[in-house]
Amino acid sequence: MQMPKSKYEQTKQNDEPRVKEVLSVQDVCSVVSIDESGIFELPDKRFSKLYTLSDINFAGVTDEEQKSIIINFSKVLKAIPCRFSYAVANEYVDERQFHEKLLYRYHKNKYDELTRNYNRIIADKVKDAKQGLYQTIYLTLTITAEDMTDAKSTFRSMESAIRSAFVGIGVNGIQGSVMKSVGIDERMQLLFNLTHAGLSSRYKFSFEDEIAARHDWLNVLSPASLCFENEKFTMNGQVGKVFFVEEYPKSLESDIIAALTKINCTNYVAVNSELLDISGFKQEIARKYMAVGMKIENEKQRNRNNNDYLADASAKLLNEKEKLDEFSKQLDTDDDHYFNTTMLVLVLAKDDAELAMIEEKLMNAASLKSIKLKSCFGKQREGLNSVLPLGIQEFKRVTNLSSSCLAMLMPFKTQELNDEEGVYYGINQLSQNVIKANKKSLKNHNGLFLGQSGSGKSVFAKSEILSMFINFPDDQIIIVAPQNEYSEIAAVADGTVISFDSSKEFFINPMDVNFDGVDYGKLREIIADKADFILTLLSSCLKRDMTAEEQGIVDSVIEKVYSENYAMRKRLNGIGKEDAEFEIPAYMRNDSVINLKATELSNEEQIRAYSPTLQDVYQGLLDEGSPVAVHLAAAMEIFVNGSLNLFNHRTNVDLGNRFIVFDLSGLKENIRVTAMLIMMETVRSSIKENSQKNRWTHLYIDEFHGARRSVA
């Protein structure tokens, strides 16, 4: 008759497998049934559910911040009221998924050759890191319930608190971990990918399709072939091995799991834990205390029998008794949770030679952390079931850990950045995974490139610019280049280079305006924007702030110039006098343009041909006639009729090009401030127009500190 076991002993018991004697590959997995909610039914009325945890930036922060994160993680462990396990998994994806997720998409345009060259570089760089290998953190919760309905209710009740606890891990602005439930399709797919490693299969699991086809889900999970040996197993021609941690270091380090997952292969590092009943744990400590006490008394009796009445028990036993006494008092005073924990490691290799090489690297990594790994001898099947995110613990070699100690087995390392449709930025030196970021998905779309001279800032910027250009074919890229470093990539992108040099005859009219779809209300906005620009320009010419009288005169002149131009453009587009009555107030109408013939020019051509120029503003100030207006016109003289009349011309460059470079290298010092103001006015107008078209604008300013000094 089997003796009843204490609560503590029950947590050390291995789970019973679903099938004790394995006769086929279907007998290996100890899952009884699966549900569309993603919950697995296990033997002995146990149910498990799988979650993914987003990584957080742990390895790259200060020691104090790491300490705070560990403390917060220990609080999370205390908040989990059931059996749980977390695993850090390095998993391969097939080549097709790799290309879909990592490489740039082709847009079937003339820049596909440039995209192909970029993809070749990315693929070459990734080969040196972990090609197609992605790291995921899994959390598996296992509960005891009467049936599937009861299990669903229990999981729903505990999920919210645990999810909130994980979000609260972050400190000092560090984002906490996001806990996401894994659905049945995704959970079955990740198990299928592992059990079919080494086979080229593009199978996609669908719970609904499998039910409709009346397929057995167990056949889906089962590998093509599987053979267990004492020290290893062979699955689909690949060789695998499961290890357990036999000895832990006296002082746990927070990067133990990170060190074990650095191996460049498919591997899982799982930490399986079961919460100890505190009363049962106290009974176990009391039993050990009594056992040590008995050993001490027996040793004393042996000494007395040898006529050595002064000798005490050995220092080892006395020290053990003292520690047990201290620990018993600690259990009574501290509010901590304790776990029976087993740590397992699974590795997969192509053949025995590669497995031997991986095992050597793994043992070296473990020895550096004062850990002793040992093969699950004769228990590879049980070890495989226990290391996978199933919620099964058929193999246990437990050690007692408090929540604060267990938190030192930190699964988090560094926050990965792998956005969909993102731009390749290199390799994460902590995780060796690819960095892909999509600025469009960020709350703040701005960026800053910092580094020492010669460190590669310009090369990095050019790489990002071209990546943006080929990845987002509808977006516009504008570059402000004070040193003419971007003309070559502009040629590659068939871009427009605008040089503020009178000898090159590249002209921009800062007064250009698009009246397409503009009503009187929007006209007022345009007038206000252009008046602000002219006021800033005149203020820079006068080298002082404008007075209230001067501002009023300029505003009235700008209003007159643009109102007349608006009326003329309406006539040119076939809008008659009666229609114009509703567009412009009577005092703004100009009868001199009523008889203009309708134009056949496109809207873009009209903007260039008919927009006002600085000459119109200059003439408007002269026509106003007051001394103040004439003085302002005199300040504009050099920019209209003088030697700096570079901006008193109609635009002759393509500002609608997707790729525009403003070359400031040939800019003369006496026109620098004016040129910068006009350039920024042009950029602002482009950004505003693109925004109205739901088109993104990417503005790059090289050596921005110099540009800022020029405008100041």
Side-chain angles (χ1 to χ4, degrees), residues 232 237-240 348-358:
K232 63 180 181 179
Q238 291 201 327
V239 185
L348 277 180
K350 293 180 180 178
D351 49 39
D352 289 331
E354 186 180 41
L355 180 63
M357 182 179 64
I358 292 173

Side-chain angles (χ1 to χ4, degrees), residues 77 187 213 298 316 337 399 485 493 627 687:
L77 299 177
R187 189 174 187 183
N298 291 337
K316 180 180 179 181
H337 291 187
T399 185
E485 292 186 33
I687 293 174

Side-chain angles (χ1 to χ4, degrees), residues 36 109 167 170 396 408 417 456 514 523 613:
E36 61 183 350
N109 55 30
V167 171
K396 290 185 178 181
M408 291 298 292
L417 197 56
N514 182 8
L523 175 62
T613 63

Side-chain angles (χ1 to χ4, degrees), residues 92-148:
Y92 277 105
V93 297
D94 62 35
E95 187 176 353
R96 180 177 59 86
Q97 290 178 320
F98 168 73
H99 282 78
E100 288 179 354
K101 190 171 184 179
L102 190 62
L103 302 182
Y104 293 163
R105 284 194 304 115
Y106 294 100
H107 295 279
K108 297 181 179 180
N109 55 30
K110 62 180 180 179
Y111 303 111
D112 278 352
E113 183 60 30
L114 182 60
T115 304
R116 189 173 294 105
N117 291 333
Y118 258 102
N119 286 340
R120 191 179 298 117
I121 294 172
I122 295 172
D124 183 63
K125 291 292 184 182
V126 174
K127 285 179 182 177
D128 298 331
K130 293 183 178 180
Q131 183 174 4
L133 191 63
Y134 292 94
Q135 194 168 93
T136 310
I137 304 174
Y138 294 111
L139 172 69
T140 310
L141 302 181
T142 307
I143 61 170
T144 301
E146 289 298 322
D147 51 31
M148 188 64 72

Side-chain angles (χ1 to χ4, degrees), residues 354-366:
E354 186 180 41
L355 180 63
M357 182 179 64
I358 292 173
E359 184 174 357
E360 182 180 0
K361 292 180 180 179
L362 189 64
M363 292 300 177
N364 290 337

